[in-house]
Amino acid sequence: MIVDSGRFDWVANKDRFPMLNEPDPSYHGVVYTEALGPAAYIGRCRVIPLRNTGSALSPHSAFLLMQGLETLGLRMERHCENALKVANYLQQHPKVEWVNYAALENSPYHAVCQKITKGQASGILSFGITGGKEAGARFIDALQMILRLVNIGDAKSLACHPATTTHRQLNPEELATAGVSEDLVRISVGIEHIDDIIADIAQALEKA
């Protein structure tokens, strides 16, 4: 956020502030101090990012963002709570080789998680499915409630098997170099009822 009173004299030291006192070729040679006067600085702050990054939100987009931010704290509590339960379930499952989730006591990142985030390790976890690449693909195909999407952080649970989706063009050696094993499945755990999430994972693991 920028607060500009418009009372700073940008013209008094022109050599120190050439961006405001010399023609801007990207805006047809406009000189901001001449064209905008006291609003020279804040005016340039608005028009340059607007052109370069599209930084001006539509009112409806801003409203939707605010709606989401207002409940983010509550949703993150549910994301973390559900993810830990899913991680504990997977850790005990015979078709799961390993689970990577920082809130688990056997995680190498457990102490850091407790220190930095008070044990709340986000809603994203990964695990290795017995059977590797083929089993991972079957697991993803068998999901019914959990969506098969590569994005993360949704209110809905999402799952991805990188070796057969986002990284399918890589061979085993390239996958290893990228830190993606063939058996890796990533789940972005949503805020649905935990029983429904685990039930879907359970039936998909049986079909894997």
Side-chain angles (χ1 to χ4, degrees), residues 119-152:
Q120 304 295 303
S122 88
I124 301 170
L125 58 86
S126 59
F127 68 94
I129 189 167
T130 303
K133 189 173 183 178
E134 291 73 19
R138 289 194 296 268
F139 172 82
I140 292 296
D141 287 342
L143 291 170
Q144 297 178 1
M145 183 194 77
I146 298 173
L147 298 177
R148 297 178 289 274
L149 291 172
V150 299
N151 45 309
I152 58 176

PDB file of all heavy atoms in Angstrom, residues 119-152:
ATOM      1  N   GLY A 119       2.824 -26.559  14.884  1.00  0.00           N
ATOM      2  CA  GLY A 119       2.336 -27.883  14.528  1.00  0.00           C
ATOM      3  C   GLY A 119       1.341 -27.913  13.395  1.00  0.00           C
ATOM      4  O   GLY A 119       0.882 -28.988  13.007  1.00  0.00           O
ATOM      5  N   GLN A 120       0.994 -26.771  12.852  1.00  0.00           N
ATOM      6  CA  GLN A 120       0.051 -26.710  11.728  1.00  0.00           C
ATOM      7  C   GLN A 120       0.844 -26.784  10.430  1.00  0.00           C
ATOM      8  O   GLN A 120       1.451 -25.812   9.998  1.00  0.00           O
ATOM      9  CB  GLN A 120      -0.763 -25.415  11.792  1.00  0.00           C
ATOM     10  CG  GLN A 120      -1.503 -25.204  13.101  1.00  0.00           C
ATOM     11  CD  GLN A 120      -2.577 -26.247  13.347  1.00  0.00           C
ATOM     12  OE1 GLN A 120      -3.482 -26.427  12.539  1.00  0.00           O
ATOM     13  NE2 GLN A 120      -2.473 -26.952  14.461  1.00  0.00           N
ATOM     14  N   ALA A 121       0.829 -27.956   9.803  1.00  0.00           N
ATOM     15  CA  ALA A 121       1.735 -28.198   8.673  1.00  0.00           C
ATOM     16  C   ALA A 121       1.076 -28.052   7.310  1.00  0.00           C
ATOM     17  O   ALA A 121       1.479 -28.685   6.359  1.00  0.00           O
ATOM     18  CB  ALA A 121       2.358 -29.587   8.803  1.00  0.00           C
ATOM     19  N   SER A 122       0.057 -27.270   7.198  1.00  0.00           N
ATOM     20  CA  SER A 122      -0.650 -26.994   5.938  1.00  0.00           C
ATOM     21  C   SER A 122      -1.558 -28.145   5.553  1.00  0.00           C
ATOM     22  O   SER A 122      -1.636 -29.161   6.246  1.00  0.00           O
ATOM     23  CB  SER A 122       0.316 -26.684   4.782  1.00  0.00           C
ATOM     24  OG  SER A 122       0.715 -27.862   4.110  1.00  0.00           O
ATOM     25  N   GLY A 123      -2.218 -28.010   4.414  1.00  0.00           N
ATOM     26  CA  GLY A 123      -3.148 -29.031   3.965  1.00  0.00           C
ATOM     27  C   GLY A 123      -2.586 -29.901   2.860  1.00  0.00           C
ATOM     28  O   GLY A 123      -3.320 -30.643   2.220  1.00  0.00           O
ATOM     29  N   ILE A 124      -1.273 -29.829   2.619  1.00  0.00           N
ATOM     30  CA  ILE A 124      -0.676 -30.560   1.504  1.00  0.00           C
ATOM     31  C   ILE A 124       0.269 -31.635   2.028  1.00  0.00           C
ATOM     32  O   ILE A 124       1.105 -31.377   2.896  1.00  0.00           O
ATOM     33  CB  ILE A 124       0.080 -29.607   0.567  1.00  0.00           C
ATOM     34  CG1 ILE A 124      -0.876 -28.552   0.022  1.00  0.00           C
ATOM     35  CG2 ILE A 124       0.731 -30.368  -0.582  1.00  0.00           C
ATOM     36  CD1 ILE A 124      -0.202 -27.430  -0.716  1.00  0.00           C
ATOM     37  N   LEU A 125       0.109 -32.834   1.524  1.00  0.00           N
ATOM     38  CA  LEU A 125       0.999 -33.931   1.906  1.00  0.00           C
ATOM     39  C   LEU A 125       1.289 -34.782   0.677  1.00  0.00           C
ATOM     40  O   LEU A 125       0.604 -34.692  -0.348  1.00  0.00           O
ATOM     41  CB  LEU A 125       0.375 -34.786   3.009  1.00  0.00           C
ATOM     42  CG  LEU A 125      -0.979 -35.437   2.752  1.00  0.00           C
ATOM     43  CD1 LEU A 125      -0.828 -36.786   2.052  1.00  0.00           C
ATOM     44  CD2 LEU A 125      -1.731 -35.635   4.060  1.00  0.00           C
ATOM     45  N   SER A 126       2.304 -35.605   0.787  1.00  0.00           N
ATOM     46  CA  SER A 126       2.621 -36.544  -0.286  1.00  0.00           C
ATOM     47  C   SER A 126       2.904 -37.905   0.318  1.00  0.00           C
ATOM     48  O   SER A 126       3.282 -38.018   1.481  1.00  0.00           O
ATOM     49  CB  SER A 126       3.813 -36.052  -1.114  1.00  0.00           C
ATOM     50  OG  SER A 126       4.956 -35.888  -0.300  1.00  0.00           O
ATOM     51  N   PHE A 127       2.717 -38.943  -0.497  1.00  0.00           N
ATOM     52  CA  PHE A 127       3.012 -40.295  -0.030  1.00  0.00           C
ATOM     53  C   PHE A 127       3.430 -41.157  -1.206  1.00  0.00           C
ATOM     54  O   PHE A 127       3.187 -40.819  -2.373  1.00  0.00           O
ATOM     55  CB  PHE A 127       1.808 -40.899   0.697  1.00  0.00           C
ATOM     56  CG  PHE A 127       0.609 -41.187  -0.171  1.00  0.00           C
ATOM     57  CD1 PHE A 127       0.420 -42.448  -0.736  1.00  0.00           C
ATOM     58  CD2 PHE A 127      -0.348 -40.212  -0.408  1.00  0.00           C
ATOM     59  CE1 PHE A 127      -0.688 -42.723  -1.519  1.00  0.00           C
ATOM     60  CE2 PHE A 127      -1.464 -40.479  -1.193  1.00  0.00           C
ATOM     61  CZ  PHE A 127      -1.636 -41.734  -1.754  1.00  0.00           C
ATOM     62  N   GLY A 128       4.087 -42.251  -0.876  1.00  0.00           N
ATOM     63  CA  GLY A 128       4.525 -43.185  -1.897  1.00  0.00           C
ATOM     64  C   GLY A 128       3.622 -44.403  -1.909  1.00  0.00           C
ATOM     65  O   GLY A 128       3.457 -45.074  -0.888  1.00  0.00           O
ATOM     66  N   ILE A 129       3.041 -44.684  -3.050  1.00  0.00           N
ATOM     67  CA  ILE A 129       2.097 -45.790  -3.157  1.00  0.00           C
ATOM     68  C   ILE A 129       2.824 -47.061  -3.622  1.00  0.00           C
ATOM     69  O   ILE A 129       3.657 -47.013  -4.530  1.00  0.00           O
ATOM     70  CB  ILE A 129       0.945 -45.426  -4.120  1.00  0.00           C
ATOM     71  CG1 ILE A 129      -0.154 -46.478  -4.077  1.00  0.00           C
ATOM     72  CG2 ILE A 129       1.449 -45.206  -5.540  1.00  0.00           C
ATOM     73  CD1 ILE A 129      -1.439 -46.038  -4.759  1.00  0.00           C
ATOM     74  N   THR A 130       2.536 -48.160  -2.965  1.00  0.00           N
ATOM     75  CA  THR A 130       3.127 -49.432  -3.358  1.00  0.00           C
ATOM     76  C   THR A 130       2.700 -49.786  -4.788  1.00  0.00           C
ATOM     77  O   THR A 130       1.518 -49.750  -5.109  1.00  0.00           O
ATOM     78  CB  THR A 130       2.680 -50.552  -2.393  1.00  0.00           C
ATOM     79  OG1 THR A 130       3.047 -50.193  -1.062  1.00  0.00           O
ATOM     80  CG2 THR A 130       3.331 -51.880  -2.760  1.00  0.00           C
ATOM     81  N   GLY A 131       3.672 -50.119  -5.609  1.00  0.00           N
ATOM     82  CA  GLY A 131       3.360 -50.438  -7.001  1.00  0.00           C
ATOM     83  C   GLY A 131       3.834 -49.377  -7.966  1.00  0.00           C
ATOM     84  O   GLY A 131       3.726 -49.542  -9.188  1.00  0.00           O
ATOM     85  N   GLY A 132       4.351 -48.253  -7.430  1.00  0.00           N
ATOM     86  CA  GLY A 132       4.977 -47.239  -8.263  1.00  0.00           C
ATOM     87  C   GLY A 132       4.066 -46.534  -9.242  1.00  0.00           C
ATOM     88  O   GLY A 132       2.906 -46.234  -8.942  1.00  0.00           O
ATOM     89  N   LYS A 133       4.594 -46.304 -10.431  1.00  0.00           N
ATOM     90  CA  LYS A 133       3.932 -45.470 -11.432  1.00  0.00           C
ATOM     91  C   LYS A 133       2.557 -45.999 -11.835  1.00  0.00           C
ATOM     92  O   LYS A 133       1.574 -45.251 -11.881  1.00  0.00           O
ATOM     93  CB  LYS A 133       4.831 -45.374 -12.662  1.00  0.00           C
ATOM     94  CG  LYS A 133       4.388 -44.376 -13.697  1.00  0.00           C
ATOM     95  CD  LYS A 133       5.443 -44.255 -14.792  1.00  0.00           C
ATOM     96  CE  LYS A 133       5.057 -43.199 -15.816  1.00  0.00           C
ATOM     97  NZ  LYS A 133       6.122 -43.059 -16.858  1.00  0.00           N
ATOM     98  N   GLU A 134       2.463 -47.296 -12.088  1.00  0.00           N
ATOM     99  CA  GLU A 134       1.199 -47.868 -12.531  1.00  0.00           C
ATOM    100  C   GLU A 134       0.142 -47.795 -11.435  1.00  0.00           C
ATOM    101  O   GLU A 134      -1.024 -47.460 -11.678  1.00  0.00           O
ATOM    102  CB  GLU A 134       1.391 -49.318 -12.980  1.00  0.00           C
ATOM    103  CG  GLU A 134       2.197 -49.483 -14.261  1.00  0.00           C
ATOM    104  CD  GLU A 134       3.682 -49.214 -14.064  1.00  0.00           C
ATOM    105  OE1 GLU A 134       4.146 -49.259 -12.892  1.00  0.00           O
ATOM    106  OE2 GLU A 134       4.377 -48.945 -15.058  1.00  0.00           O
ATOM    107  N   ALA A 135       0.559 -48.096 -10.193  1.00  0.00           N
ATOM    108  CA  ALA A 135      -0.383 -48.037  -9.073  1.00  0.00           C
ATOM    109  C   ALA A 135      -0.832 -46.605  -8.811  1.00  0.00           C
ATOM    110  O   ALA A 135      -1.993 -46.357  -8.484  1.00  0.00           O
ATOM    111  CB  ALA A 135       0.255 -48.630  -7.817  1.00  0.00           C
ATOM    112  N   GLY A 136       0.097 -45.668  -8.975  1.00  0.00           N
ATOM    113  CA  GLY A 136      -0.258 -44.264  -8.784  1.00  0.00           C
ATOM    114  C   GLY A 136      -1.314 -43.814  -9.767  1.00  0.00           C
ATOM    115  O   GLY A 136      -2.260 -43.096  -9.404  1.00  0.00           O
ATOM    116  N   ALA A 137      -1.163 -44.236 -11.017  1.00  0.00           N
ATOM    117  CA  ALA A 137      -2.147 -43.874 -12.037  1.00  0.00           C
ATOM    118  C   ALA A 137      -3.501 -44.499 -11.726  1.00  0.00           C
ATOM    119  O   ALA A 137      -4.546 -43.853 -11.869  1.00  0.00           O
ATOM    120  CB  ALA A 137      -1.660 -44.322 -13.407  1.00  0.00           C
ATOM    121  N   ARG A 138      -3.497 -45.762 -11.292  1.00  0.00           N
ATOM    122  CA  ARG A 138      -4.768 -46.419 -10.956  1.00  0.00           C
ATOM    123  C   ARG A 138      -5.430 -45.768  -9.760  1.00  0.00           C
ATOM    124  O   ARG A 138      -6.667 -45.615  -9.713  1.00  0.00           O
ATOM    125  CB  ARG A 138      -4.524 -47.911 -10.679  1.00  0.00           C
ATOM    126  CG  ARG A 138      -4.177 -48.723 -11.911  1.00  0.00           C
ATOM    127  CD  ARG A 138      -4.281 -50.210 -11.647  1.00  0.00           C
ATOM    128  NE  ARG A 138      -3.307 -50.643 -10.645  1.00  0.00           N
ATOM    129  CZ  ARG A 138      -2.088 -51.087 -10.922  1.00  0.00           C
ATOM    130  NH1 ARG A 138      -1.671 -51.134 -12.184  1.00  0.00           N
ATOM    131  NH2 ARG A 138      -1.277 -51.483  -9.962  1.00  0.00           N
ATOM    132  N   PHE A 139      -4.627 -45.355  -8.785  1.00  0.00           N
ATOM    133  CA  PHE A 139      -5.165 -44.675  -7.600  1.00  0.00           C
ATOM    134  C   PHE A 139      -5.883 -43.390  -8.004  1.00  0.00           C
ATOM    135  O   PHE A 139      -7.021 -43.136  -7.587  1.00  0.00           O
ATOM    136  CB  PHE A 139      -4.038 -44.364  -6.615  1.00  0.00           C
ATOM    137  CG  PHE A 139      -4.457 -43.496  -5.463  1.00  0.00           C
ATOM    138  CD1 PHE A 139      -5.088 -44.035  -4.349  1.00  0.00           C
ATOM    139  CD2 PHE A 139      -4.233 -42.121  -5.491  1.00  0.00           C
ATOM    140  CE1 PHE A 139      -5.484 -43.228  -3.287  1.00  0.00           C
ATOM    141  CE2 PHE A 139      -4.623 -41.305  -4.435  1.00  0.00           C
ATOM    142  CZ  PHE A 139      -5.253 -41.863  -3.332  1.00  0.00           C
ATOM    143  N   ILE A 140      -5.236 -42.583  -8.810  1.00  0.00           N
ATOM    144  CA  ILE A 140      -5.818 -41.314  -9.250  1.00  0.00           C
ATOM    145  C   ILE A 140      -7.108 -41.554 -10.034  1.00  0.00           C
ATOM    146  O   ILE A 140      -8.125 -40.880  -9.825  1.00  0.00           O
ATOM    147  CB  ILE A 140      -4.799 -40.522 -10.098  1.00  0.00           C
ATOM    148  CG1 ILE A 140      -3.628 -40.049  -9.237  1.00  0.00           C
ATOM    149  CG2 ILE A 140      -5.473 -39.323 -10.762  1.00  0.00           C
ATOM    150  CD1 ILE A 140      -3.996 -39.056  -8.153  1.00  0.00           C
ATOM    151  N   ASP A 141      -7.090 -42.533 -10.916  1.00  0.00           N
ATOM    152  CA  ASP A 141      -8.278 -42.818 -11.729  1.00  0.00           C
ATOM    153  C   ASP A 141      -9.449 -43.308 -10.887  1.00  0.00           C
ATOM    154  O   ASP A 141     -10.611 -43.126 -11.269  1.00  0.00           O
ATOM    155  CB  ASP A 141      -7.944 -43.867 -12.796  1.00  0.00           C
ATOM    156  CG  ASP A 141      -7.088 -43.304 -13.909  1.00  0.00           C
ATOM    157  OD1 ASP A 141      -7.033 -42.064 -14.042  1.00  0.00           O
ATOM    158  OD2 ASP A 141      -6.462 -44.094 -14.637  1.00  0.00           O
ATOM    159  N   ALA A 142      -9.144 -43.937  -9.750  1.00  0.00           N
ATOM    160  CA  ALA A 142     -10.197 -44.530  -8.922  1.00  0.00           C
ATOM    161  C   ALA A 142     -10.858 -43.533  -7.973  1.00  0.00           C
ATOM    162  O   ALA A 142     -11.916 -43.833  -7.392  1.00  0.00           O
ATOM    163  CB  ALA A 142      -9.631 -45.699  -8.121  1.00  0.00           C
ATOM    164  N   LEU A 143     -10.264 -42.365  -7.793  1.00  0.00           N
ATOM    165  CA  LEU A 143     -10.848 -41.385  -6.873  1.00  0.00           C
ATOM    166  C   LEU A 143     -12.226 -40.960  -7.365  1.00  0.00           C
ATOM    167  O   LEU A 143     -12.441 -40.765  -8.562  1.00  0.00           O
ATOM    168  CB  LEU A 143      -9.930 -40.168  -6.746  1.00  0.00           C
ATOM    169  CG  LEU A 143      -8.601 -40.404  -6.018  1.00  0.00           C
ATOM    170  CD1 LEU A 143      -7.696 -39.201  -6.173  1.00  0.00           C
ATOM    171  CD2 LEU A 143      -8.825 -40.729  -4.539  1.00  0.00           C
ATOM    172  N   GLN A 144     -13.138 -40.772  -6.432  1.00  0.00           N
ATOM    173  CA  GLN A 144     -14.508 -40.400  -6.790  1.00  0.00           C
ATOM    174  C   GLN A 144     -14.888 -39.010  -6.293  1.00  0.00           C
ATOM    175  O   GLN A 144     -15.441 -38.211  -7.035  1.00  0.00           O
ATOM    176  CB  GLN A 144     -15.480 -41.447  -6.240  1.00  0.00           C
ATOM    177  CG  GLN A 144     -15.270 -42.824  -6.846  1.00  0.00           C
ATOM    178  CD  GLN A 144     -16.190 -43.873  -6.260  1.00  0.00           C
ATOM    179  OE1 GLN A 144     -17.024 -43.578  -5.396  1.00  0.00           O
ATOM    180  NE2 GLN A 144     -16.052 -45.106  -6.706  1.00  0.00           N
ATOM    181  N   MET A 145     -14.590 -38.708  -5.028  1.00  0.00           N
ATOM    182  CA  MET A 145     -14.910 -37.391  -4.489  1.00  0.00           C
ATOM    183  C   MET A 145     -13.737 -36.428  -4.659  1.00  0.00           C
ATOM    184  O   MET A 145     -13.918 -35.276  -5.055  1.00  0.00           O
ATOM    185  CB  MET A 145     -15.277 -37.488  -3.007  1.00  0.00           C
ATOM    186  CG  MET A 145     -15.686 -36.141  -2.404  1.00  0.00           C
ATOM    187  SD  MET A 145     -15.743 -36.132  -0.590  1.00  0.00           S
ATOM    188  CE  MET A 145     -13.998 -36.033  -0.207  1.00  0.00           C
ATOM    189  N   ILE A 146     -12.549 -36.913  -4.354  1.00  0.00           N
ATOM    190  CA  ILE A 146     -11.358 -36.076  -4.472  1.00  0.00           C
ATOM    191  C   ILE A 146     -11.093 -35.806  -5.949  1.00  0.00           C
ATOM    192  O   ILE A 146     -11.032 -36.720  -6.767  1.00  0.00           O
ATOM    193  CB  ILE A 146     -10.148 -36.766  -3.823  1.00  0.00           C
ATOM    194  CG1 ILE A 146     -10.404 -36.973  -2.321  1.00  0.00           C
ATOM    195  CG2 ILE A 146      -8.878 -35.948  -4.037  1.00  0.00           C
ATOM    196  CD1 ILE A 146      -9.339 -37.788  -1.621  1.00  0.00           C
ATOM    197  N   LEU A 147     -10.925 -34.538  -6.286  1.00  0.00           N
ATOM    198  CA  LEU A 147     -10.767 -34.142  -7.687  1.00  0.00           C
ATOM    199  C   LEU A 147      -9.355 -34.420  -8.181  1.00  0.00           C
ATOM    200  O   LEU A 147      -8.378 -34.233  -7.465  1.00  0.00           O
ATOM    201  CB  LEU A 147     -11.093 -32.662  -7.848  1.00  0.00           C
ATOM    202  CG  LEU A 147     -12.528 -32.244  -7.492  1.00  0.00           C
ATOM    203  CD1 LEU A 147     -12.684 -30.744  -7.633  1.00  0.00           C
ATOM    204  CD2 LEU A 147     -13.532 -32.970  -8.369  1.00  0.00           C
ATOM    205  N   ARG A 148      -9.243 -34.836  -9.420  1.00  0.00           N
ATOM    206  CA  ARG A 148      -7.950 -35.112 -10.040  1.00  0.00           C
ATOM    207  C   ARG A 148      -7.456 -33.826 -10.710  1.00  0.00           C
ATOM    208  O   ARG A 148      -7.682 -33.598 -11.896  1.00  0.00           O
ATOM    209  CB  ARG A 148      -8.083 -36.259 -11.041  1.00  0.00           C
ATOM    210  CG  ARG A 148      -8.484 -37.565 -10.378  1.00  0.00           C
ATOM    211  CD  ARG A 148      -8.658 -38.681 -11.393  1.00  0.00           C
ATOM    212  NE  ARG A 148      -9.858 -38.493 -12.212  1.00  0.00           N
ATOM    213  CZ  ARG A 148     -11.062 -38.913 -11.856  1.00  0.00           C
ATOM    214  NH1 ARG A 148     -11.247 -39.529 -10.701  1.00  0.00           N
ATOM    215  NH2 ARG A 148     -12.103 -38.729 -12.653  1.00  0.00           N
ATOM    216  N   LEU A 149      -6.798 -33.007  -9.926  1.00  0.00           N
ATOM    217  CA  LEU A 149      -6.303 -31.712 -10.403  1.00  0.00           C
ATOM    218  C   LEU A 149      -4.893 -31.472  -9.875  1.00  0.00           C
ATOM    219  O   LEU A 149      -4.543 -31.943  -8.800  1.00  0.00           O
ATOM    220  CB  LEU A 149      -7.223 -30.574  -9.938  1.00  0.00           C
ATOM    221  CG  LEU A 149      -8.621 -30.508 -10.557  1.00  0.00           C
ATOM    222  CD1 LEU A 149      -9.457 -29.460  -9.850  1.00  0.00           C
ATOM    223  CD2 LEU A 149      -8.530 -30.210 -12.045  1.00  0.00           C
ATOM    224  N   VAL A 150      -4.097 -30.721 -10.629  1.00  0.00           N
ATOM    225  CA  VAL A 150      -2.714 -30.481 -10.228  1.00  0.00           C
ATOM    226  C   VAL A 150      -2.544 -29.213  -9.395  1.00  0.00           C
ATOM    227  O   VAL A 150      -1.457 -28.965  -8.874  1.00  0.00           O
ATOM    228  CB  VAL A 150      -1.778 -30.419 -11.453  1.00  0.00           C
ATOM    229  CG1 VAL A 150      -1.809 -31.725 -12.208  1.00  0.00           C
ATOM    230  CG2 VAL A 150      -2.143 -29.251 -12.367  1.00  0.00           C
ATOM    231  N   ASN A 151      -3.589 -28.395  -9.258  1.00  0.00           N
ATOM    232  CA  ASN A 151      -3.449 -27.199  -8.427  1.00  0.00           C
ATOM    233  C   ASN A 151      -3.589 -27.559  -6.953  1.00  0.00           C
ATOM    234  O   ASN A 151      -3.935 -28.690  -6.585  1.00  0.00           O
ATOM    235  CB  ASN A 151      -4.444 -26.113  -8.840  1.00  0.00           C
ATOM    236  CG  ASN A 151      -5.829 -26.625  -9.080  1.00  0.00           C
ATOM    237  OD1 ASN A 151      -6.014 -27.585  -9.814  1.00  0.00           O
ATOM    238  ND2 ASN A 151      -6.812 -26.003  -8.463  1.00  0.00           N
ATOM    239  N   ILE A 152      -3.319 -26.622  -6.072  1.00  0.00           N
ATOM    240  CA  ILE A 152      -3.331 -26.865  -4.633  1.00  0.00           C
ATOM    241  C   ILE A 152      -4.058 -25.727  -3.920  1.00  0.00           C
ATOM    242  O   ILE A 152      -4.274 -24.649  -4.476  1.00  0.00           O
ATOM    243  CB  ILE A 152      -1.897 -26.980  -4.065  1.00  0.00           C
ATOM    244  CG1 ILE A 152      -1.096 -25.700  -4.357  1.00  0.00           C
ATOM    245  CG2 ILE A 152      -1.190 -28.205  -4.623  1.00  0.00           C
ATOM    246  CD1 ILE A 152       0.284 -25.682  -3.762  1.00  0.00           C
TER     247      ILE A 152
END
